[in-house]
């Protein structure tokens, strides 16, 4: 069912500093910041030859990454995103096995304009998993 690793998302308290670490220290190609109001984050994309790293900074008081940053004040890996061919087939397959889908269970449009879903970390080895229809 799982396809490629689409990205690893890292929550950061300061997006400009995080982007500079990847651009200046690590010599990576880093995009301009993109506001994702529906997801409560501002994001930059770090392009690697085989995948992407997304740096996420909280946007707004109700940002879903705010609590994570309170527990991890210097930042940390927030989720991994795997590609699937058909997100509804994947969702129904996982739900039938007892996995918990976050939110109302319906895909939202992610940062790349494609449908995404998040899965409960307790069902996936302690890691928040995002599925994206490739
Ligand atoms: Co993501």
């Amino acid at each position: 069912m799982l396809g490629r690793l689409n990205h690893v998302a890292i929550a950061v308290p300061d997006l400009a500093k995080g982007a500079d670490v990847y651009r200046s220290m690590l010599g990576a190609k880093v995009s301009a910041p993109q506001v994702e109001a529906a997801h409560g984050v501002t994001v930059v994309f770090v392009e690697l030859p085989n995948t992407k790293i997304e740096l996420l900074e909280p946007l707004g008081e109700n940002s879903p990454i705010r609590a994570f940053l309170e527990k991890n004040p210097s930042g940390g890996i927030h989720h991994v995103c795997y590609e699937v061919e058909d997100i509804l087939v994947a969702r129904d397959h996982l739900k039938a096995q007892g996995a918990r889908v976050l939110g109302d269970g319906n895909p939202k449009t992610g940062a790349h304009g494609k449908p995404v879903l998040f899965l409960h970390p307790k069902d996936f080895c302690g890691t928040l998993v995002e599925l994206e229809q490739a």
Side-chain angles (χ1 to χ4, degrees), residues 3-4 6 82-87 114-115 131-134:
R4 294 179 346 129
N6 185 276
Y82 301 121
E83 295 180 358
V84 293
E85 259 180 46
D86 185 321
I87 201 159
K114 295 180 175 169
L131 296 181
E132 179 175 302
Q133 186 164 295

Side-chain angles (χ1 to χ4, degrees), residues 84-113:
V84 293
E85 259 180 46
D86 185 321
I87 201 159
L88 296 178
V89 167
R91 176 196 65 187
D92 294 345
H93 170 78
L94 293 167
K95 279 175 80 173
Q97 294 177 89
R100 286 165 283 184
V101 177
L102 300 187
D104 66 7
N106 292 312
K108 279 189 184 178
T109 300
H112 317 112

Side-chain angles (χ1 to χ4, degrees), residues 7 54 79 130:
H7 61 270
E54 295 185 7
H79 65 266
E130 178 179 20

Side-chain angles (χ1 to χ4, degrees), residues 7 79-82 110 116-119 128-132:
H7 61 270
H79 65 266
V80 294
C81 177
Y82 301 121
V116 302
L117 278 176
F118 285 90
L119 307 173
L128 179 61
V129 171
E130 178 179 20
L131 296 181
E132 179 175 302

